[in-house]
Amino acid sequence: MAFITRFTPQTIILRAIRRGKTPFKQSVFCLPQPLSMTRVLRSQISLASHREHSGTTLSDHNSYSARTHTCGELRSEHIGQVVTLYGWIQYQRQNQFIILRDFDGLTQVILQQNESTEQMKKTLCDLPLESVVKVTGKVIKRPLGQENMEMPTGEIEVVVQEVDVLNKCKRLPFEIKDFVKKTEALRLQYRYLDMRSTQMQYNLRLRSSMVMKMREFLCNKHGFVDVETPTLFKRTPGGAKEFVVPSRESGKFYTLPQSPQQFKQLLMVAGFDRYFQVARCYRDEGSKPDRQPEFTQIDIEMSFVDQQGIQRLIEGLVQYSWPKDKGIISIPFPTMTYAEAMDSYGVDKPDTRFGMKIIDLQDCFRDTNIKFIKDALIGLNGSVRGICVREGLEYLKSKDFTYLQENIKMDFNQEVSVVFLKLDGSWKSPLNKHLTEDQREKICQVMLAKPGDVLILAAGKHEITCAALGKLRLQCADLLESKGMAVRNPNTFHFLWVLDFPLFLPKDEDPSQLESAHHPFTAPHPQDSHLIYIDPGKVRSQHYDLVLNGCEIGGGSIRIHNAEMQKYILQTILNEDIKLLSHLIEALDCGAPPHGGIALGLDRLISIIVGSSSIRDVIAFPKSFRGHCLMSNAPDCISKEDLKRYHINVAWSNVKKDNGMGGHLSPPICKAQSCKKMT
Amino acid sequence: MAFITRFTPQTIILRAIRRGKTPFKQSVFCLPQPLSMTRVLRSQISLASHREHSGTTLSDHNSYSARTHTCGELRSEHIGQVVTLYGWIQYQRQNQFIILRDFDGLTQVILQQNESTEQMKKTLCDLPLESVVKVTGKVIKRPLGQENMEMPTGEIEVVVQEVDVLNKCKRLPFEIKDFVKKTEALRLQYRYLDMRSTQMQYNLRLRSSMVMKMREFLCNKHGFVDVETPTLFKRTPGGAKEFVVPSRESGKFYTLPQSPQQFKQLLMVAGFDRYFQVARCYRDEGSKPDRQPEFTQIDIEMSFVDQQGIQRLIEGLVQYSWPKDKGIISIPFPTMTYAEAMDSYGVDKPDTRFGMKIIDLQDCFRDTNIKFIKDALIGLNGSVRGICVREGLEYLKSKDFTYLQENIKMDFNQEVSVVFLKLDGSWKSPLNKHLTEDQREKICQVMLAKPGDVLILAAGKHEITCAALGKLRLQCADLLESKGMAVRNPNTFHFLWVLDFPLFLPKDEDPSQLESAHHPFTAPHPQDSHLIYIDPGKVRSQHYDLVLNGCEIGGGSIRIHNAEMQKYILQTILNEDIKLLSHLIEALDCGAPPHGGIALGLDRLISIIVGSSSIRDVIAFPKSFRGHCLMSNAPDCISKEDLKRYHINVAWSNVKKDNGMGGHLSPPICKAQSCKKMT
């Protein structure tokens, strides 16, 4: 058999290059595309390391099944054994080699070249790729020099003795190859095929095993009780984003809750002491990119705990469940106050993987004659601040800064001034002429700036200046990375607690009114409790956010456990109808323990860990950004009987409203085929 | 201190009896009610055994909290330590003894009688029961003879050094004592108080730990992947019980799925190999007793598995997760075919904890002259059968049987004949005169009947006869138990697999049409596949039900993985619109592996294990049988803005329909106070 061409990624790449072909193109051997092979191998390795992480190396993947091994399992110690494998045909070559794939890896299966195998050969080799077969055969050692050491099963192959075709693949809208690029719409439409990719298998398996580790930590190590709370509930005050579910009683609706907030607090009143739930939550935000109408949070609540207690708990939880192949997480996580985050990063969820912090330049401009700075500093709450873009001169062009300046002007109505620190030490900036040598030096000193850097300065109202510079900071990082500078290490994970948020914020639509910065159940900071009744706008809260790489991945608080305070805040400060929450307020009067909790956004956390830009890549069946399931065509029209059962009529509002016919118009022709029959 | 009366359940019961009081009444000592105390102690023991079961003895219940111990934790080895406890005041006695309670147990706290503790005494002893306190104090040994060996912490008490009142209980709609009977409506309204009961704590903690063990078994031991599937989906064919959720697109609705059936199958097509999920499911059945609009199932699917594989998996799962304090479960579970179950028990979910099987009496009546039996046996599919109620003569009265006969007549239109086997060997029965001595003897022989038993005989169409006798069998068992006979051991758990169900059943409304006995994705029995195209009514399926003590607690099947067969069954046999399922059929053509699965009804399983008659007792926040949350008043009215956002109007149908105004009437006055403002 030595004359038969066997493939290893190396030989195939070499052969392809020798023929003058790029390794990406289909070779005359039909199979395999060498780079894809390397990729598959690489991903096999990562799946293997994932299995090790998740503790599933001990788990039996062949129990209760007729297979003896998975396709990723056979090694040289199995040589001589007769094995039964089930899998998908990944490659077929020379009417003799079949690569069988399952979730665990690839195994090379070979057909012996003799008369007795003719029928089998015909059966197997005529099969389209992605057909499903059962193969029984003997494990043999690959001939010397033809082992593939990059492939976990690369030392062996299986000589077929028996083949069962379990399902012939008849239809493939795209090739099941990791390197084949697909539009996201196509991926979502054929999600069941998209999920065959190594990356999606890795993402969802990592999600499963990480959540399992979290459960072990909470339930087995720390006595938390997993309690399921209802998702058919009722409107909460301010719950404008809650989906409604009509009931069979006319005019009565359930709502799908945005979180189990009330239930977790009531469970503390009920004496459960420690609650957690991997909770499905719902939020109807219409069409927002990278939001999902349903999402999952790790929902936690504890009695007799303070803010530090919850922080330590979550640090322990994250460390315990952290995937081994993603490095080590050190705890405790650093903390930052809300004020500090806003001052230094212009945002309440700072990405601390890189510097470029916002620097206060008030001292440098104390006696300035530059009008816009002077005006800003005279005004109420004015400030002048800047960021220093290291090596900006080399990486970014003037037009990049012009683009940034225009953007910031549009978003924040904030002017910024750019200073190029030329390599000869001179300044290129409109401000140049207004500054003395000393002033320029002081600015550079304060900002730790060197020739080759670019400074971006802004003056104005403190909050806006910081917010604008905060956004510029992130945009500069993106720009620099797009030009090849390594600003943020994609393999590092910077956790950060942000603390001491304000309890209330002025309402956007009426700044004389206050609204909860987070939710009305958040307890005030113990040092500020007395201010509730005097100057509520100044009260800091016991709210905490957990930030990872600049994304908010969790938030929680110590809750109000005193009915009087809760009533006062709802009624007097927030002007809410407390009847909607009477059950909660009553509960606080029945011996409610002090309690607090947190919720971690699981989708976002996993997406950051696996390095995906979208949470859709860590959700098995996500909706499109418009909230559609492209696979099944949900949401869809429903029948008249359904409408009747729930006592509702459709107000067809996609016909112009000003046609004088009110809301009740005849339905437009429904494009979904299924609708025609049903509606 | 020896003069101070200390309580042990024994002394208090004795003292109460000595005073001529029943132990149930309040004693002059105010506290404690002795039986409640015994009950609390007993439940403490069961909570402790539960902790041991769940493996949480290793878990740290004091981590991340300022307490040093729980209220159930202190033993004599802690004597001399200064401890901090948090808990609820369960009892207070003689201005000196406080019983502090938390989820883990009770601890006796004592106030030393001296001047320095006067203030503390005032603080503590004025507190209403169920107030929440923090107590720091020293653990001491109880005086000799005053230990309470039935109480896990009964060897020690804690001498108070410092007290913090964390929350004063101001309101209690009912006493938090296990023995205080409350109506279910009250329990549901104040669920957060109801859940403080030992039983509810036990139920929900057992649920949590049992599900955790299931996860360990599936995820860690057998490589299952926990995948979350969407609950905002679209109508499935025949899904008349699906709740609908209006979207922001006019006329387009999501539905809340009854199970993740399609998703689990698509995950197999996606190559996930082994999937599980503790899945929230939704079913709108209007007002049905002991059904919930949302419920939880352990949802499982596997590739490359057969029926036996799934059965063994579930047996392993149940055995692994079974609570230690509920005895040992032996596997494999017995099996029974559907036909056998219907023949011998008249139902597809036989309660095999007791006999009283349905006996075929055709041989005994072969040459009978009794008209109704003769007529039945001549007719198509006729049969004569009976059950033997052992010792019925002693336990049941004639009027009991008259009641049963009337009921069965009403439910099944089936006459049954009752034979009393008197102790002297004679028969009391209208049939007596039509039967020879030999015939009577033969009947007794076949039915293994003895004097003192009562026979119930029925003749007619086979299915109806069996169904009627099956129902009578259960009703007799209930009646006998209500009279004090031990028919079923409430502490035994009889699992049973029911197999070989028919694949299709005639439709109720049109028996010439077939419908799926379970769902249209169930694969036919391999021996019957050929009949699909010839005589589909005769095809058995690869469906299996898991029955526990006469309740169906799970069901599943091997699925159809062939697109052609799936299409044929949907289109030709079931007459369904396959467009609604086009994505699933397409998926089967893309290399779908053979697969099968099961779903276990978690609520029902847990309720049987804890011995509760209602699933509401194992759900933290259940709905009433009318689908209402009595605590929060869901479902509720919603605002006009909400209706507008979702393009719906309410058709007020609770006003008479025949008033000539069609469906659009003005809303009735909404009773919910919150409605008035919002609608």
Side-chain angles (χ1 to χ4, degrees):
Chain A
M1 289 203 296
F3 64 89
I4 291 170
T5 318
R6 286 159 185 282
F7 62 79
T8 65
Q10 295 84 341
T11 55
I12 287 167
I13 294 172
L14 282 174
R15 198 176 293 135
I17 291 167
R18 217 180 298 137
R19 287 204 185 84
K21 295 185 176 198
T22 72
F24 284 94
K25 277 195 191 159
Q26 184 91 5
S27 82
V28 283
F29 296 97
C30 291
L31 284 162
Q33 286 85 355
L35 273 207
S36 83
M37 192 62 203
T38 322
R39 272 175 208 175
V40 168
L41 293 176
R42 204 181 298 136
S43 27
Q44 268 198 297
I45 291 159
S46 70
L47 260 188
S49 84
H50 163 67
R51 271 183 77 177
E52 202 168 299
H53 150 65
S54 66
T56 50
T57 36
L58 290 171
S59 64
D60 182 358
H61 286 82
N62 306 313
S63 48
Y64 310 113
S65 157
R67 72 177 164 225
T68 60
H69 297 81
T70 67
C71 295
E73 210 175 346
L74 295 172
R75 300 289 184 275
S76 55
E77 67 255 33
H78 299 103
I79 287 167
Q81 291 183 19
V82 174
V83 297
T84 299
L85 308 177
Y86 286 82
W88 285 258
I89 295 180
Q90 173 95 348
Y91 305 107
Q92 188 267 103
R93 194 164 54 94
Q94 294 177 322
N95 276 353
Q96 191 181 6
F97 295 96
I98 306 281
I99 299 290
L100 210 59
R101 184 198 73 230
D102 68 10
F103 71 97
D104 197 33
L106 305 173
T107 297
Q108 178 157 289
V109 163
I110 73 163
L111 282 154
Q112 261 167 341
Q113 303 292 70
N114 58 43
E115 267 178 34
S116 69
T117 59
E118 270 312 301
Q119 185 52 43
M120 216 147 48
K121 193 194 255 181
K122 207 174 148 39
T123 309
L124 259 180
C125 300
D126 283 356
L127 279 178
L129 297 187
E130 294 301 316
S131 294
V132 184
V133 295
K134 173 187 179 186
V135 169
T136 298
K138 196 168 179 176
V139 184
I140 61 166
K141 192 170 161 49
R142 289 200 196 185
L144 208 69
Q146 298 187 353
E147 303 90 348
N148 182 343
M149 300 320 288
E150 282 193 56
M151 190 172 171
T153 63
E155 284 188 85
I156 57 89
E157 55 199 358
V158 174
V159 184
V160 185
Q161 292 172 352
E162 216 184 304
V163 168
D164 256 350
V165 178
L166 302 171
N167 214 349
K168 200 166 163 173
C169 178
K170 299 209 184 74
R171 191 173 189 290
L172 271 191
F174 50 78
E175 275 187 282
I176 312 297
K177 302 272 187 291
D178 287 349
F179 67 91
V180 173
K181 289 265 174 257
K182 293 135 280 196
T183 63
E184 193 175 26
L186 199 65
R187 288 181 53 202
L188 291 177
Q189 188 183 350
Y190 297 98
R191 193 59 163 179
Y192 45 87
L193 294 179
D194 181 45
M195 285 195 290
R196 288 186 190 165
S197 74
T198 316
Q199 186 66 52
M200 283 302 296
Q201 288 274 329
Y202 176 80
N203 292 359
L204 292 171
R205 286 170 186 274
L206 180 124
R207 179 178 179 132
S208 167
S209 64
M210 195 163 167
V211 170
M212 187 65 201
K213 296 288 272 180
M214 288 184 177
R215 290 178 181 280
E216 285 170 22
F217 182 84
L218 292 168
C219 195
N220 294 349
K221 305 259 170 212
H222 296 285
F224 281 77
V225 188
D226 179 5
V227 182
E228 298 170 61
T229 59
T231 58
L232 292 172
F233 192 44
K234 80 162 196 174
R235 185 55 101 226
T236 44
K241 288 168 179 174
E242 287 165 355
F243 285 102
V244 299
V245 182
S247 76
R248 293 197 188 196
E249 284 173 71
S250 316
K252 296 286 182 85
F253 292 77
Y254 299 104
T255 60
L256 301 177
Q258 292 184 56
S259 90
Q261 183 62 35
Q262 291 184 45
F263 294 111
K264 68 203 277 193
Q265 293 194 238
L266 291 169
L267 286 168
M268 294 304 102
V269 179
F272 273 97
D273 200 69
R274 294 170 175 226
Y275 144 90
F276 87 101
Q277 185 183 194
V278 181
R280 191 68 60 87
C281 303
Y282 301 85
R283 196 180 296 153
D284 181 14
E285 304 199 273
S287 303
K288 276 203 181 174
D290 216 31
R291 293 287 179 111
Q292 288 286 314
E294 50 186 317
F295 57 97
T296 304
Q297 64 189 36
I298 308 290
D299 200 48
I300 289 172
E301 197 80 8
M302 264 179 93
S303 294
F304 312 120
V305 71
D306 60 12
Q307 185 164 312
Q308 285 73 31
I310 300 284
Q311 286 174 244
R312 297 299 89 79
L313 168 74
I314 297 305
E315 288 159 357
L317 175 73
V318 170
Q319 195 180 49
Y320 184 87
S321 61
W322 197 252
K324 272 192 190 157
D325 59 345
K326 296 292 174 187
I328 283 165
I329 293 297
S330 54
I331 59 172
F333 301 149
T335 62
M336 194 181 283
T337 64
Y338 170 80
E340 197 185 338
M342 296 308 284
D343 275 10
S344 298
Y345 297 93
V347 71
D348 60 358
K349 44 184 181 187
D351 188 343
T352 49
R353 284 176 299 174
F354 67 107
M356 218 192 286
K357 283 163 75 167
I358 301 170
I359 310 287
D360 188 349
L361 298 174
Q362 196 153 346
D363 281 353
C364 308
F365 289 99
R366 203 164 289 282
D367 309 310
T368 188
N369 284 321
I370 304 170
K371 188 168 180 308
F372 76 95
I373 298 180
K374 204 172 167 180
D375 287 353
L377 290 179
I378 289 167
L380 182 71
N381 205 11
S383 81
V384 51
R385 304 201 156 216
I387 57 175
C388 172
V389 185
R390 308 253 170 255
E391 299 176 60
L393 205 61
E394 184 187 342
Y395 283 88
L396 303 180
K397 298 213 166 67
S398 272
K399 66 169 184 186
D400 292 325
F401 289 102
T402 311
Y403 168 79
L404 291 174
Q405 278 173 306
E406 282 166 6
N407 259 352
I408 287 301
K409 175 77 186 162
M410 211 147 64
D411 292 351
F412 295 89
N413 195 26
Q414 171 72 51
E415 302 278 0
V416 297
S417 189
V418 178
V419 179
F420 298 86
L421 301 186
K422 294 167 96 174
L423 293 177
D424 63 7
S426 67
W427 279 37
K428 185 186 156 200
S429 159
L431 300 181
N432 205 10
K433 52 181 183 248
H434 304 289
L435 294 167
T436 65
E437 182 63 32
D438 275 0
Q439 283 173 318
R440 288 201 294 266
E441 215 162 86
K442 187 161 185 198
I443 291 169
C444 285
Q445 208 178 357
V446 170
M447 299 189 79
L448 302 173
K450 296 184 306 292
D453 294 349
V454 178
L455 311 181
I456 306 180
L457 310 182
K461 242 183 147 50
H462 179 64
E463 290 79 11
I464 295 170
T465 310
C466 288
L469 287 172
K471 182 140 192 198
L472 273 172
R473 173 179 176 267
L474 292 173
Q475 289 179 332
C476 285
D478 288 344
L479 258 176
L480 288 168
E481 283 174 352
S482 74
K483 309 262 169 135
M485 189 199 272
V487 180
R488 293 166 287 207
N489 181 346
N491 299 318
T492 58
F493 299 94
H494 282 236
F495 285 93
L496 175 76
W497 289 109
V498 179
L499 309 173
D500 293 352
F501 281 82
L503 185 54
F504 305 108
L505 289 171
K507 272 189 182 172
D508 278 343
E509 59 275 23
D510 174 9
S512 73
Q513 292 276 311
L514 291 176
E515 63 185 359
S516 295
H518 292 96
H519 59 58
F521 316 114
T522 310
H525 196 289
Q527 291 166 6
D528 298 355
S529 293
H530 61 289
L531 291 174
I532 289 253
Y533 308 95
I534 310 163
D535 192 355
K538 285 250 168 67
V539 178
R540 288 167 302 162
S541 72
Q542 293 193 65
H543 178 95
Y544 28 85
D545 265 356
L546 182 59
V547 174
L548 170 57
N549 293 356
C551 293
E552 183 204 321
I553 56 154
S557 59
I558 301 301
R559 326 295 184 185
I560 296 166
H561 67 277
N562 176 294
E564 286 314 309
M565 183 187 282
Q566 185 67 76
K567 240 187 294 186
Y568 181 83
I569 287 178
L570 282 167
Q571 255 179 333
T572 311
I573 300 183
L574 300 174
N575 216 1
E576 291 280 5
D577 179 7
I578 62 162
K579 276 170 199 137
L580 280 176
L581 285 171
S582 55
H583 52 285
L584 188 73
I585 292 166
E586 278 181 31
L588 295 184
D589 256 346
C590 294
H595 60 285
I598 194 165
L600 302 181
L602 183 65
D603 308 298
R604 175 59 60 210
L605 173 62
I606 303 284
S607 76
I608 296 173
I609 292 173
V610 303
S612 168
S613 60
S614 164
I615 60 169
R616 290 188 295 278
D617 286 339
V618 298
I619 295 173
F621 298 98
K623 303 283 190 294
S624 73
F625 87 101
R626 289 188 60 209
H628 289 186
C629 171
L630 302 185
M631 184 183 72
S632 71
N633 190 36
D636 205 351
C637 306
I638 59 169
S639 69
K640 278 181 185 156
E641 289 71 43
D642 284 335
L643 292 172
K644 208 168 158 187
R645 183 182 311 121
Y646 295 115
H647 314 284
I648 50 175
N649 300 310
V650 174
W652 294 102
S653 67
N654 47 356
V655 183
K656 263 193 173 175
K657 274 182 186 165
D658 55 353
N659 59 2
M661 291 176 72
H664 295 268
L665 301 166
S666 50
I669 293 153
C670 190
K671 276 173 197 155
Q673 285 176 300
S674 56
C675 279
K676 280 183 196 161
K677 196 182 164 188
M678 294 194 76
T679 314
Chain B
M1 287 203 296
F3 64 91
I4 290 168
T5 318
R6 285 160 187 282
F7 61 81
T8 65
Q10 293 86 343
T11 54
I12 286 165
I13 292 173
L14 281 174
R15 197 175 294 136
I17 290 169
R18 220 180 296 139
R19 288 204 183 84
K21 296 186 176 197
T22 71
F24 283 95
K25 277 197 191 154
Q26 185 91 6
S27 84
V28 284
F29 295 96
C30 292
L31 281 162
Q33 287 84 358
L35 273 205
S36 85
M37 192 61 203
T38 323
R39 274 177 208 170
V40 168
L41 293 175
R42 204 182 298 136
S43 28
Q44 267 199 297
I45 292 159
S46 71
L47 259 189
S49 84
H50 163 69
R51 270 182 79 178
E52 201 167 299
H53 150 64
S54 67
T56 49
T57 37
L58 290 171
S59 65
D60 183 357
H61 287 82
N62 305 314
S63 49
Y64 312 112
S65 160
R67 73 177 164 225
T68 60
H69 297 81
T70 67
C71 295
E73 210 175 346
L74 294 173
R75 300 288 183 277
S76 55
E77 68 255 34
H78 299 105
I79 288 167
Q81 291 184 21
V82 173
V83 298
T84 298
L85 307 178
Y86 286 82
W88 284 258
I89 296 181
Q90 173 95 348
Y91 304 106
Q92 189 267 103
R93 195 164 54 94
Q94 295 177 322
N95 276 351
Q96 190 178 8
F97 295 96
I98 305 280
I99 300 289
L100 209 60
R101 184 197 73 229
D102 69 9
F103 71 98
D104 198 32
L106 305 173
T107 297
Q108 179 158 286
V109 164
I110 73 162
L111 282 154
Q112 261 166 340
Q113 303 291 70
N114 58 44
E115 265 176 38
S116 70
T117 60
E118 271 312 303
Q119 186 52 44
M120 216 149 42
K121 194 194 256 181
K122 208 174 146 43
T123 310
L124 260 180
C125 299
D126 284 355
L127 279 178
L129 298 187
E130 295 300 316
S131 293
V132 184
V133 295
K134 173 187 178 184
V135 168
T136 298
K138 197 169 179 176
V139 184
I140 61 165
K141 193 169 160 48
R142 291 202 195 183
L144 208 66
Q146 298 188 353
E147 303 90 348
N148 182 343
M149 300 320 287
E150 283 192 55
M151 190 173 170
T153 63
E155 283 188 85
I156 59 92
E157 54 198 1
V158 174
V159 184
V160 185
Q161 292 173 352
E162 214 183 306
V163 169
D164 257 350
V165 178
L166 302 171
N167 213 347
K168 199 165 165 175
C169 179
K170 300 209 184 76
R171 188 175 193 288
L172 270 191
F174 50 77
E175 275 189 280
I176 312 297
K177 302 273 186 291
D178 287 350
F179 67 91
V180 173
K181 289 267 173 256
K182 293 134 278 193
T183 63
E184 194 175 24
L186 199 65
R187 289 180 54 200
L188 290 178
Q189 188 184 348
Y190 297 99
R191 192 59 163 181
Y192 45 88
L193 295 179
D194 181 46
M195 285 195 290
R196 287 186 191 166
S197 74
T198 317
Q199 186 65 54
M200 283 302 296
Q201 288 274 329
Y202 176 78
N203 292 0
L204 292 170
R205 285 170 187 274
L206 180 124
R207 181 181 176 128
S208 167
S209 64
M210 196 165 166
V211 170
M212 187 63 201
K213 295 288 273 179
M214 288 183 177
R215 292 178 179 280
E216 284 170 24
F217 182 84
L218 292 169
C219 195
N220 293 351
K221 305 259 171 209
H222 295 285
F224 281 76
V225 188
D226 181 4
V227 182
E228 297 169 63
T229 59
T231 58
L232 293 171
F233 192 45
K234 78 163 197 171
R235 187 54 104 222
T236 44
K241 290 169 178 173
E242 287 166 356
F243 285 102
V244 300
V245 182
S247 76
R248 294 199 187 195
E249 283 172 70
S250 316
K252 296 283 183 88
F253 293 78
Y254 299 104
T255 61
L256 301 176
Q258 294 185 53
S259 90
Q261 183 62 36
Q262 291 184 44
F263 294 111
K264 69 203 276 195
Q265 293 194 237
L266 291 168
L267 286 169
M268 293 304 103
V269 179
F272 273 98
D273 201 67
R274 293 170 175 225
Y275 144 91
F276 86 103
Q277 184 182 194
V278 181
R280 191 68 59 90
C281 303
Y282 302 84
R283 197 181 295 151
D284 181 14
E285 304 199 271
S287 302
K288 276 202 183 175
D290 215 31
R291 292 288 180 110
Q292 288 286 315
E294 51 186 317
F295 57 97
T296 303
Q297 66 189 33
I298 309 289
D299 200 48
I300 290 172
E301 197 81 7
M302 267 179 90
S303 294
F304 312 119
V305 70
D306 60 13
Q307 186 165 312
Q308 285 73 32
I310 299 284
Q311 285 174 243
R312 298 298 88 78
L313 167 74
I314 296 306
E315 288 159 357
L317 175 74
V318 170
Q319 195 180 50
Y320 184 87
S321 61
W322 197 254
K324 271 192 192 158
D325 59 345
K326 297 291 174 188
I328 283 166
I329 292 297
S330 54
I331 59 170
F333 302 150
T335 61
M336 195 182 282
T337 64
Y338 170 80
E340 197 185 337
M342 297 307 284
D343 276 10
S344 299
Y345 298 91
V347 72
D348 60 359
K349 43 184 183 187
D351 188 343
T352 50
R353 283 176 298 173
F354 67 108
M356 217 192 287
K357 282 163 74 166
I358 301 170
I359 309 287
D360 188 350
L361 298 173
Q362 196 154 347
D363 280 353
C364 308
F365 289 97
R366 202 164 290 282
D367 309 310
T368 189
N369 284 319
I370 304 169
K371 189 169 179 311
F372 78 94
I373 298 180
K374 205 170 163 181
D375 287 354
L377 290 178
I378 289 168
L380 182 72
N381 205 13
S383 81
V384 51
R385 305 205 154 213
I387 57 174
C388 173
V389 186
R390 308 254 169 253
E391 300 177 59
L393 206 60
E394 183 188 341
Y395 283 87
L396 302 180
K397 299 213 165 68
S398 272
K399 66 167 186 190
D400 292 325
F401 288 103
T402 311
Y403 168 79
L404 292 174
Q405 277 173 308
E406 280 167 7
N407 259 352
I408 287 302
K409 174 76 186 164
M410 213 149 64
D411 291 351
F412 295 90
N413 195 25
Q414 171 75 51
E415 302 279 358
V416 296
S417 190
V418 178
V419 179
F420 296 88
L421 302 185
K422 296 169 96 175
L423 293 176
D424 62 6
S426 67
W427 280 37
K428 186 188 154 197
S429 160
L431 300 181
N432 205 9
K433 53 179 183 244
H434 304 288
L435 294 166
T436 65
E437 180 65 32
D438 275 2
Q439 282 174 320
R440 289 202 293 267
E441 214 162 87
K442 188 163 184 193
I443 291 171
C444 285
Q445 206 178 358
V446 169
M447 298 187 80
L448 302 172
K450 294 184 310 291
D453 293 350
V454 175
L455 311 181
I456 307 179
L457 310 182
K461 243 183 145 54
H462 179 64
E463 289 80 11
I464 295 171
T465 310
C466 288
L469 288 171
K471 181 137 194 203
L472 273 171
R473 175 180 175 266
L474 293 173
Q475 288 178 333
C476 285
D478 288 344
L479 258 176
L480 289 167
E481 283 174 350
S482 75
K483 310 264 169 138
M485 189 200 271
V487 180
R488 295 166 287 204
N489 180 346
N491 299 318
T492 56
F493 298 94
H494 281 236
F495 284 94
L496 175 75
W497 288 109
V498 180
L499 309 174
D500 293 354
F501 280 83
L503 186 54
F504 306 108
L505 289 171
K507 272 190 183 172
D508 278 343
E509 60 275 22
D510 174 8
S512 73
Q513 291 275 311
L514 292 176
E515 62 184 0
S516 295
H518 292 95
H519 60 57
F521 315 114
T522 311
H525 195 291
Q527 291 166 7
D528 297 354
S529 293
H530 61 289
L531 291 174
I532 291 252
Y533 307 96
I534 310 163
D535 191 355
K538 286 248 167 68
V539 178
R540 288 167 303 163
S541 71
Q542 292 194 65
H543 178 93
Y544 28 85
D545 264 356
L546 182 59
V547 174
L548 170 57
N549 293 357
C551 291
E552 184 203 319
I553 56 154
S557 59
I558 301 302
R559 326 296 185 186
I560 297 167
H561 67 276
N562 175 292
E564 287 312 310
M565 183 188 281
Q566 184 68 76
K567 238 187 292 184
Y568 181 83
I569 286 178
L570 282 167
Q571 258 179 328
T572 311
I573 299 183
L574 300 173
N575 216 2
E576 291 281 6
D577 178 8
I578 62 163
K579 275 171 200 137
L580 281 176
L581 286 170
S582 56
H583 51 286
L584 187 73
I585 293 167
E586 276 181 30
L588 295 184
D589 257 346
C590 293
H595 60 287
I598 194 165
L600 302 181
L602 184 65
D603 308 297
R604 176 57 61 208
L605 174 63
I606 303 286
S607 76
I608 295 174
I609 292 173
V610 303
S612 168
S613 59
S614 164
I615 60 170
R616 289 187 296 278
D617 286 341
V618 298
I619 295 173
F621 299 97
K623 302 284 190 296
S624 73
F625 85 101
R626 289 187 61 208
H628 290 186
C629 172
L630 301 185
M631 183 183 73
S632 70
N633 191 35
D636 205 351
C637 305
I638 59 169
S639 69
K640 279 183 186 155
E641 290 70 43
D642 284 335
L643 291 173
K644 207 167 158 188
R645 185 182 310 120
Y646 295 116
H647 314 283
I648 50 176
N649 299 310
V650 174
W652 295 101
S653 66
N654 48 356
V655 184
K656 264 191 174 174
K657 273 181 186 164
D658 55 355
N659 60 1
M661 291 177 69
H664 294 268
L665 300 166
S666 50
I669 293 152
C670 193
K671 276 173 197 155
Q673 285 176 300
S674 56
C675 277
K676 281 183 196 157
K677 194 181 164 187
M678 294 194 76
T679 314

